[in-house]
């Protein structure tokens, strides 16, 4: 019998092969992909397809827990775990058989009070009781295309087994999962957000252009941010920096475990809080985590102005009580630029520019100090609102040295955060740009 390592290696090799074959599959339209997925999954009969009421009804009758997989169909770039491999894996499939399994391919009509997760991804798993109590979440992302440090088949298997253990002891373990359900969102379901209202309904339109009728996960996050931005309000830090990844605090968790510390970054919040490699997180903020995503959930709920988050770890067989010591501004260690939402940010505060950071050699050649602001225009939008910077005089290759009087914004992420928190649509920002041997003063519009 092949080992788990062998299965994961085979999985990665197959993913590589599938990526190589991707251009051959592009002839299939997005609409065809959605329809084919429905045909294939419903014909197999294992997953309840886009019908959460049925999943809850079946779970109440059977006494089984529910597994809900939110999975965007047309998205190739951020696929985490290939569906067929998950279904057929010899370790995972027997675990799936113990759940009522529901596959949700759109967020139209999704209950946002129950299903709260990092929407800048296209693969998210919920394990829950039929009464709506969430046992745990699985699925995270910290890069646009690389995911090996975030999820794995073994990690999914561990999360599923942990959820089954919690279910077996429910409701006695309710205190360990009580905090996994969130508060009230701005709207009850995605199509109720102002920027999506009138464009989408609460269900897919299989009689028409089904792909265009689908609300994707990232559109929820974009609509949430625009909810504040279009009203002229500052975007709250919790919304601007959602679901902070533990590694932004220096806490590197093993993607093959429920919540085990793989390493700790030197001089980080995690190190100063006392974490060590090998620590197993038993509870965080009183909750029992089943994955990295559960740790992110706790961080997401933690106040942005700072807090000490209690953590109980097991270290070499002994229990230790620690605390993540989070000061004001702790969320800002996260990176906004990898998120799908960053496309909207570039329109809103950068006129359609995608910036890149200069390396040490490039800075030396241009005579720019190592700690000075230096963001190169890597891409310049050409159409609509994304052409605003081009119309303002920016060119590809320009180096941004100053933005609104600031010369200390070291990354695209920092620029986004500063502008979104300090400006409103209709403002104009002065910028300083290096072009060749010349220094120019250009004005950047802030847009809706």
């Amino acid at each position: 019998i092949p080992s788990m390592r062998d299965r994961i290696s085979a999985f990665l090799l197959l993913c590589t092969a599938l990526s190589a074959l991707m251009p051959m599959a592009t002839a299939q339209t997005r609409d065809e992909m959605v329809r084919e997925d429905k045909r294939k999954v419903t014909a197999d009969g294992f997953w309840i397809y886009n019908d959460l009421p049925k999943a809850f009804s079946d779970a109440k009758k059977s006494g089984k827990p529910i597994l809900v997989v939110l999975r965007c169909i047309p998205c190739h770039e951020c696929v985490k775990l290939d569906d067929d491999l998950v279904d057929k894996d010899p370790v995972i499939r027997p675990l799936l058989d113990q759940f009522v399994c529901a596959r949700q391919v759109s967020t139209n009509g999704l209950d946002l009070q129950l299903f709260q997760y990092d929407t800048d991804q296209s693969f998210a798993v919920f394990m829950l009781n039929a009464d709506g109590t969430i046992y745990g979440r699985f699925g995270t992302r910290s890069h646009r295309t690389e995911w090996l440090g975030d999820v794995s088949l073994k990690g999914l298997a561990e999360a599923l087994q942990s959820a089954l253990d919690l279910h077996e002891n429910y409701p006695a373990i309710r205190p360990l999962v009580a905090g996994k359900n969130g508060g009230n969102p701005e709207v009850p379901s995605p199509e109720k957000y102002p920027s999506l209202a009138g464009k989408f309904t609460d269900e897919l339109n299989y009689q028409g252009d089904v792909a265009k009728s689908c609300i994707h996960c990232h559109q929820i996050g974009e609509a949430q941010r625009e909810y504040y931005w279009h009203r002229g309000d500052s975007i709250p830090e919790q919304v601007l920096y959602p679901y902070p990844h533990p590694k932004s605090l220096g806490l590197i968790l093993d993607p093959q475990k429920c919540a085990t510390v793989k390493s700790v970054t030197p001089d980080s919040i995690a190190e100063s809080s006392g974490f060590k490699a090998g620590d197993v997180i038993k509870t965080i903020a009183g909750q029992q985590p089943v994955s990295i995503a559960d740790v992110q959930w706790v961080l997401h709920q933690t106040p942005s102005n700072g807090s000490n988050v209690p953590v109980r770890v097991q270290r070499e067989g002994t229990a230790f009580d620690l605390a993540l010591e989070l000061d004001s501004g702790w969320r800002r260690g996260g990176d906004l630029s990898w998120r799908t939402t960053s496309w909207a940010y570039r329109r809103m505060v950068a006129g359609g520019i995608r910036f890149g950071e200069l390396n040490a050699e490039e800075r030396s050649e241009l005579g720019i100090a190592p700690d000075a602001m230096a963001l190169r225009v890597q891409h310049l939008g050409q159409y609509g609102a994304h052409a605003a910077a081009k119309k303002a005089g920016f060119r590809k290759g320009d180096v941004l040295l100053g933005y609104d009087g600031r010369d200390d914004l070291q990354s695209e992420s920092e620029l986004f955060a500063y502008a979104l928190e300090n400006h409103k649509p209709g403002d104009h920002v002065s910028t300083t740009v290096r072009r060749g041997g010349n220094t120019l003063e250009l004005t950047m519009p802030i847009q809706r």
Side-chain angles (χ1 to χ4, degrees):
I1 299 176
S3 67
M4 177 61 75
R5 182 184 297 275
D6 292 337
R7 287 196 296 271
I8 292 174
S9 297
F11 165 68
L12 297 177
L13 288 172
L14 181 54
C15 283
T16 302
L18 289 173
S19 297
L21 293 172
M22 195 71 71
M24 300 172 61
T26 55
Q28 191 178 41
T29 67
R30 294 166 65 92
D31 197 78
E32 290 170 339
M33 290 170 66
V34 176
R35 294 180 186 278
E36 173 60 19
D37 183 75
K38 181 181 181 182
R39 184 204 65 76
K40 176 183 176 182
V41 176
T42 53
D44 181 69
F46 179 74
W47 292 87
I48 295 173
Y49 198 84
N50 249 32
D51 191 348
L52 291 177
K54 176 174 172 51
F56 279 89
S57 176
D58 287 3
K60 289 176 181 177
K61 294 175 183 177
S62 66
K64 289 183 176 182
I66 306 168
L67 178 74
V68 177
V69 176
L70 295 167
R71 168 76 166 87
C72 179
I73 300 307
C75 181
H76 287 301
E77 186 179 61
C78 41
V79 170
K80 299 292 189 302
L81 303 173
D82 181 81
D83 303 314
D84 288 336
L85 286 170
V86 169
D87 283 357
K88 296 174 183 176
D89 184 87
V91 174
I92 291 177
R93 182 54 189 255
L95 296 173
L96 295 181
D97 289 335
Q98 299 177 62
F99 289 86
V100 172
C101 296
R103 178 181 173 86
Q104 193 73 11
V105 298
S106 77
T107 66
N108 301 60
L110 191 68
D111 181 352
L112 293 180
Q113 186 170 18
L114 180 60
F115 295 99
Q116 298 181 10
Y117 61 105
D118 189 347
T119 58
D120 280 303
Q121 56 184 2
S122 68
F123 180 90
V125 179
F126 285 79
M127 293 147 277
L128 61 163
N129 188 281
D131 67 5
T133 298
I134 294 174
Y135 294 134
R137 296 167 170 83
F138 180 86
T140 186
R141 183 180 174 197
S142 58
H143 190 277
R144 187 173 299 278
T145 57
E146 297 176 10
W147 52 267
L148 293 179
D150 295 324
V151 295
S152 70
L153 284 174
K154 186 174 181 181
L156 175 57
E158 294 237 355
L160 293 173
Q161 184 59 63
S162 294
L164 289 170
D165 293 341
L166 289 168
H167 182 70
E168 183 178 356
N169 294 293
Y170 189 79
I173 50 83
R174 185 174 281 154
L176 293 175
V177 296
K180 294 188 178 186
N181 287 68
N184 294 323
E186 295 88 356
V187 297
S189 56
E191 70 280 356
K192 301 294 185 182
Y193 273 111
S195 62
L196 299 178
K199 301 177 183 178
F200 299 93
T201 67
D202 60 358
E203 60 183 2
L204 293 179
N205 178 19
Y206 279 98
Q207 283 67 50
D209 193 334
V210 63
K212 288 185 178 180
S213 72
C214 175
I215 301 176
H216 298 278
C217 292
H218 69 85
Q219 289 178 288
I220 300 175
E222 291 168 2
Q224 185 185 32
R225 292 154 180 76
E226 290 179 3
Y227 174 85
Y228 295 96
W229 184 249
H230 286 184
R231 296 193 313 181
D233 297 338
S234 295
I235 300 176
E237 275 196 44
Q238 186 187 38
V239 175
L240 187 60
Y241 293 94
Y243 296 87
H245 200 286
K247 73 179 184 181
S248 69
L249 307 177
L251 192 61
I252 314 302
L253 299 182
D254 189 339
Q256 299 191 41
K257 301 290 185 181
C258 285
T260 299
V261 180
K262 185 176 182 180
S263 63
V264 177
T265 304
D267 302 319
S268 66
I269 291 175
E271 184 182 63
S272 64
S273 297
F275 287 87
K276 296 185 180 297
D279 285 351
V280 178
I281 299 176
K282 306 304 290 184
T283 63
I284 177 168
Q287 303 171 37
Q288 179 178 324
V290 306
S291 71
I292 296 175
D294 267 356
V295 177
Q296 282 183 278
W297 166 256
V298 170
L299 294 175
H300 180 65
Q301 299 298 317
T302 301
S304 298
N305 59 359
S307 178
N308 285 349
V309 181
V311 183
R312 169 155 281 207
V313 303
Q314 183 173 310
R315 181 181 300 165
E316 297 178 349
T318 302
F320 286 85
D321 288 323
L322 305 175
L324 271 172
E325 300 172 355
L326 305 177
D327 295 329
S328 178
W330 65 272
R331 287 181 183 267
R332 297 174 182 275
D335 181 12
L336 303 181
S337 63
W338 68 264
R339 294 179 173 276
T340 305
T341 315
S342 66
W343 179 249
Y345 292 161
R346 293 184 179 101
R347 178 198 76 236
M348 293 154 69
V349 303
I353 291 176
R354 185 176 73 237
F355 289 105
E357 298 173 29
L358 271 63
N359 59 35
E361 183 178 349
E362 291 170 327
R363 284 174 174 272
S364 178
E365 290 176 355
L366 294 174
I368 300 174
D371 59 347
M373 181 176 179
L375 300 175
R376 188 185 300 280
V377 177
Q378 289 187 333
H379 173 79
L380 193 63
Q382 302 294 309
Y383 305 102
H386 282 272
K390 177 183 177 182
K391 293 176 181 177
F394 288 85
R395 296 181 187 175
K396 184 176 180 180
D398 285 350
V399 178
L400 188 67
L401 302 178
Y403 183 94
D404 196 31
R406 297 284 298 269
D407 60 3
D408 58 346
L409 303 175
Q410 296 288 327
S411 66
E412 187 179 53
S413 182
E414 290 183 13
L415 186 151
F416 289 160
Y418 169 78
L420 291 168
E421 292 176 331
N422 292 277
H423 286 284
K424 298 178 181 179
D427 288 353
H428 289 81
V429 174
S430 61
T431 69
T432 302
V433 172
R434 172 77 62 83
R435 181 181 299 163
N438 300 316
T439 299
L440 310 175
E441 301 294 328
L442 300 176
T443 300
M444 180 80 74
I446 304 297
Q447 308 181 98
R448 287 193 176 276

